Amino acid sequence: MEEAVAGRATRGRPRSERARSAVLEAAAELLVSGGIDAVTMEAIAARAQVSKATLYKWWPSRAHVMLESLFSRTRHTTEIDESAPLEEALVSQLSLVTREFRETETGPLMADLVAAGQADPDIRAALDEQWLRPRRQITTRLLRAAVERGELDPGIDLAAAVDQLFAPVYYRLLLGHEPLHDDLAATLTGQLLNGLRTGAAAPKG
């Protein structure tokens, strides 16, 4: 079945890369059209025209395929200029995630995945590995570099600071009590940094 995706062409991407791309596209299409329950290994294999053995060779569970397929479509939300001033970089990162949740199917899907992850350890682990950790690593690097430059208090808890920045976005996504508006990223970032800056680096006035 895998050969049906790869064909007999010898040019272009390697067969395994084409098959992997087909799998991720199939998983993403199933997720968007049918929700979490529609994304089974059987359905992915049939849609991508690969064997289930091929799927398990690359991914340990359907949750990992599902999250990687979502991540492949939202990779742009991790593409920021880490050399920019701290506040600008953080606002950019948070704006990308907020806009993605508000304007695309990623928002409702993420809410469903978070809910499903409470009872499914595979989904919870995949969320951490494929979605949360890459974004947290970027933010942690930005904050740590700012500490080393003397812009932020050296005693801050970096993990807690990352939580403070992102948690309100997920809170609003899951409960819907307030909108994910355009100014939210700048507001959250500004309030966070006002509490983390050293006395010398804090704005005057």
mmCIF file of all heavy atoms in Angstrom, residues 68-88:
data_model
loop_
_atom_site.group_PDB
_atom_site.id
_atom_site.type_symbol
_atom_site.label_atom_id
_atom_site.label_comp_id
_atom_site.label_asym_id
_atom_site.label_seq_id
_atom_site.Cartn_x
_atom_site.Cartn_y
_atom_site.Cartn_z
ATOM 1 N N GLU A 68 1.353 15.538 15.796
ATOM 2 C CA GLU A 68 2.355 15.954 14.821
ATOM 3 C C GLU A 68 1.692 16.517 13.572
ATOM 4 O O GLU A 68 2.205 17.468 12.960
ATOM 5 C CB GLU A 68 3.288 14.806 14.451
ATOM 6 C CG GLU A 68 4.447 15.272 13.577
ATOM 7 C CD GLU A 68 5.527 14.234 13.370
ATOM 8 O OE1 GLU A 68 5.667 13.335 14.226
ATOM 9 O OE2 GLU A 68 6.233 14.311 12.345
ATOM 10 N N SER A 69 0.542 15.958 13.205
ATOM 11 C CA SER A 69 -0.167 16.492 12.032
ATOM 12 C C SER A 69 -0.649 17.903 12.307
ATOM 13 O O SER A 69 -0.576 18.784 11.433
ATOM 14 C CB SER A 69 -1.349 15.588 11.666
ATOM 15 O OG SER A 69 -2.423 15.716 12.583
ATOM 16 N N LEU A 70 -1.131 18.152 13.515
ATOM 17 C CA LEU A 70 -1.571 19.497 13.881
ATOM 18 C C LEU A 70 -0.377 20.445 13.925
ATOM 19 O O LEU A 70 -0.443 21.574 13.429
ATOM 20 C CB LEU A 70 -2.274 19.459 15.239
ATOM 21 C CG LEU A 70 -2.799 20.794 15.770
ATOM 22 C CD1 LEU A 70 -3.861 21.368 14.828
ATOM 23 C CD2 LEU A 70 -3.367 20.619 17.171
ATOM 24 N N PHE A 71 0.728 19.966 14.505
ATOM 25 C CA PHE A 71 1.923 20.799 14.609
ATOM 26 C C PHE A 71 2.469 21.146 13.227
ATOM 27 O O PHE A 71 2.937 22.266 13.000
ATOM 28 C CB PHE A 71 2.985 20.089 15.439
ATOM 29 C CG PHE A 71 4.243 20.901 15.613
ATOM 30 C CD1 PHE A 71 4.230 22.079 16.336
ATOM 31 C CD2 PHE A 71 5.433 20.492 15.045
ATOM 32 C CE1 PHE A 71 5.381 22.831 16.499
ATOM 33 C CE2 PHE A 71 6.591 21.238 15.199
ATOM 34 C CZ PHE A 71 6.557 22.412 15.929
ATOM 35 N N SER A 72 2.390 20.196 12.298
ATOM 36 C CA SER A 72 2.912 20.456 10.954
ATOM 37 C C SER A 72 2.135 21.571 10.263
ATOM 38 O O SER A 72 2.675 22.270 9.411
ATOM 39 C CB SER A 72 2.874 19.179 10.106
ATOM 40 O OG SER A 72 1.543 18.808 9.799
ATOM 41 N N ARG A 73 0.864 21.738 10.637
ATOM 42 C CA ARG A 73 0.041 22.793 10.045
ATOM 43 C C ARG A 73 0.156 24.120 10.796
ATOM 44 O O ARG A 73 -0.311 25.154 10.307
ATOM 45 C CB ARG A 73 -1.432 22.364 10.024
ATOM 46 C CG ARG A 73 -1.748 21.279 9.011
ATOM 47 C CD ARG A 73 -3.241 21.108 8.858
ATOM 48 N NE ARG A 73 -3.555 20.293 7.691
ATOM 49 C CZ ARG A 73 -4.771 20.197 7.155
ATOM 50 N NH1 ARG A 73 -5.774 20.908 7.657
ATOM 51 N NH2 ARG A 73 -4.986 19.435 6.102
ATOM 52 N N THR A 74 0.739 24.090 11.971
ATOM 53 C CA THR A 74 0.809 25.307 12.791
ATOM 54 C C THR A 74 2.252 25.656 13.144
ATOM 55 O O THR A 74 2.499 26.386 14.101
ATOM 56 C CB THR A 74 0.003 25.122 14.089
ATOM 57 O OG1 THR A 74 0.514 23.988 14.813
ATOM 58 C CG2 THR A 74 -1.478 24.899 13.795
ATOM 59 N N ARG A 75 3.190 25.141 12.363
ATOM 60 C CA ARG A 75 4.611 25.378 12.655
ATOM 61 C C ARG A 75 4.945 26.865 12.663
ATOM 62 O O ARG A 75 5.851 27.314 13.371
ATOM 63 C CB ARG A 75 5.479 24.646 11.626
ATOM 64 C CG ARG A 75 6.926 24.488 12.021
ATOM 65 C CD ARG A 75 7.669 23.650 11.001
ATOM 66 N NE ARG A 75 7.079 22.333 10.830
ATOM 67 C CZ ARG A 75 7.317 21.301 11.631
ATOM 68 N NH1 ARG A 75 8.123 21.448 12.659
ATOM 69 N NH2 ARG A 75 6.755 20.135 11.391
ATOM 70 N N HIS A 76 4.185 27.646 11.893
ATOM 71 C CA HIS A 76 4.456 29.086 11.826
ATOM 72 C C HIS A 76 4.275 29.770 13.173
ATOM 73 O O HIS A 76 4.814 30.857 13.397
ATOM 74 C CB HIS A 76 3.537 29.741 10.788
ATOM 75 C CG HIS A 76 2.077 29.634 11.124
ATOM 76 N ND1 HIS A 76 1.340 28.497 10.866
ATOM 77 C CD2 HIS A 76 1.231 30.516 11.710
ATOM 78 C CE1 HIS A 76 0.102 28.668 11.276
ATOM 79 N NE2 HIS A 76 -0.005 29.885 11.800
ATOM 80 N N THR A 77 3.517 29.150 14.086
ATOM 81 C CA THR A 77 3.296 29.783 15.391
ATOM 82 C C THR A 77 4.523 29.701 16.291
ATOM 83 O O THR A 77 4.509 30.248 17.394
ATOM 84 C CB THR A 77 2.088 29.156 16.122
ATOM 85 O OG1 THR A 77 2.344 27.775 16.385
ATOM 86 C CG2 THR A 77 0.820 29.283 15.276
ATOM 87 N N THR A 78 5.571 29.027 15.840
ATOM 88 C CA THR A 78 6.817 28.990 16.610
ATOM 89 C C THR A 78 7.924 29.800 15.931
ATOM 90 O O THR A 78 9.048 29.830 16.427
ATOM 91 C CB THR A 78 7.312 27.535 16.789
ATOM 92 O OG1 THR A 78 7.595 26.966 15.505
ATOM 93 C CG2 THR A 78 6.285 26.687 17.509
ATOM 94 N N GLU A 79 7.592 30.425 14.816
ATOM 95 C CA GLU A 79 8.607 31.135 14.043
ATOM 96 C C GLU A 79 8.630 32.615 14.418
ATOM 97 O O GLU A 79 7.877 33.427 13.897
ATOM 98 C CB GLU A 79 8.328 30.958 12.548
ATOM 99 C CG GLU A 79 8.450 29.507 12.098
ATOM 100 C CD GLU A 79 7.972 29.284 10.673
ATOM 101 O OE1 GLU A 79 7.423 30.250 10.073
ATOM 102 O OE2 GLU A 79 8.143 28.166 10.165
ATOM 103 N N ILE A 80 9.488 32.948 15.363
ATOM 104 C CA ILE A 80 9.622 34.331 15.814
ATOM 105 C C ILE A 80 11.085 34.735 15.741
ATOM 106 O O ILE A 80 11.981 33.887 15.659
ATOM 107 C CB ILE A 80 9.093 34.518 17.247
ATOM 108 C CG1 ILE A 80 9.967 33.733 18.237
ATOM 109 C CG2 ILE A 80 7.643 34.111 17.356
ATOM 110 C CD1 ILE A 80 9.730 34.113 19.672
ATOM 111 N N ASP A 81 11.317 36.031 15.794
ATOM 112 C CA ASP A 81 12.678 36.560 15.776
ATOM 113 C C ASP A 81 13.197 36.630 17.209
ATOM 114 O O ASP A 81 12.851 37.551 17.961
ATOM 115 C CB ASP A 81 12.672 37.946 15.132
ATOM 116 C CG ASP A 81 14.070 38.561 15.077
ATOM 117 O OD1 ASP A 81 15.046 37.872 15.438
ATOM 118 O OD2 ASP A 81 14.173 39.742 14.680
ATOM 119 N N GLU A 82 13.987 35.650 17.597
ATOM 120 C CA GLU A 82 14.482 35.598 18.975
ATOM 121 C C GLU A 82 15.545 36.659 19.247
ATOM 122 O O GLU A 82 15.945 36.851 20.399
ATOM 123 C CB GLU A 82 15.014 34.200 19.291
ATOM 124 C CG GLU A 82 13.939 33.131 19.261
ATOM 125 C CD GLU A 82 14.417 31.789 19.806
ATOM 126 O OE1 GLU A 82 15.208 31.771 20.772
ATOM 127 O OE2 GLU A 82 13.982 30.750 19.259
ATOM 128 N N SER A 83 16.013 37.340 18.214
ATOM 129 C CA SER A 83 16.978 38.418 18.411
ATOM 130 C C SER A 83 16.298 39.762 18.658
ATOM 131 O O SER A 83 16.969 40.758 18.956
ATOM 132 C CB SER A 83 17.900 38.535 17.194
ATOM 133 O OG SER A 83 17.170 38.959 16.045
ATOM 134 N N ALA A 84 14.978 39.815 18.546
ATOM 135 C CA ALA A 84 14.234 41.050 18.775
ATOM 136 C C ALA A 84 14.246 41.386 20.262
ATOM 137 O O ALA A 84 14.533 40.526 21.104
ATOM 138 C CB ALA A 84 12.797 40.890 18.282
ATOM 139 N N PRO A 85 13.932 42.628 20.629
ATOM 140 C CA PRO A 85 13.802 42.974 22.050
ATOM 141 C C PRO A 85 12.827 42.026 22.736
ATOM 142 O O PRO A 85 11.865 41.550 22.114
ATOM 143 C CB PRO A 85 13.267 44.413 22.010
ATOM 144 C CG PRO A 85 13.756 44.952 20.703
ATOM 145 C CD PRO A 85 13.719 43.796 19.749
ATOM 146 N N LEU A 86 13.055 41.779 24.018
ATOM 147 C CA LEU A 86 12.294 40.767 24.742
ATOM 148 C C LEU A 86 10.788 40.956 24.612
ATOM 149 O O LEU A 86 10.064 40.018 24.258
ATOM 150 C CB LEU A 86 12.689 40.764 26.219
ATOM 151 C CG LEU A 86 11.889 39.816 27.119
ATOM 152 C CD1 LEU A 86 12.101 38.361 26.696
ATOM 153 C CD2 LEU A 86 12.276 40.021 28.576
ATOM 154 N N GLU A 87 10.295 42.130 24.915
ATOM 155 C CA GLU A 87 8.848 42.338 24.902
ATOM 156 C C GLU A 87 8.276 42.124 23.509
ATOM 157 O O GLU A 87 7.222 41.507 23.340
ATOM 158 C CB GLU A 87 8.497 43.736 25.415
ATOM 159 C CG GLU A 87 7.010 43.942 25.615
ATOM 160 C CD GLU A 87 6.682 45.113 26.529
ATOM 161 O OE1 GLU A 87 7.618 45.753 27.052
ATOM 162 O OE2 GLU A 87 5.479 45.368 26.730
ATOM 163 N N GLU A 88 8.975 42.593 22.495
ATOM 164 C CA GLU A 88 8.517 42.402 21.121
ATOM 165 C C GLU A 88 8.466 40.923 20.752
ATOM 166 O O GLU A 88 7.496 40.459 20.112
ATOM 167 C CB GLU A 88 9.460 43.147 20.176
ATOM 168 C CG GLU A 88 9.101 43.015 18.707
ATOM 169 C CD GLU A 88 10.100 43.724 17.802
ATOM 170 O OE1 GLU A 88 10.625 44.772 18.219
ATOM 171 O OE2 GLU A 88 10.368 43.209 16.691
#
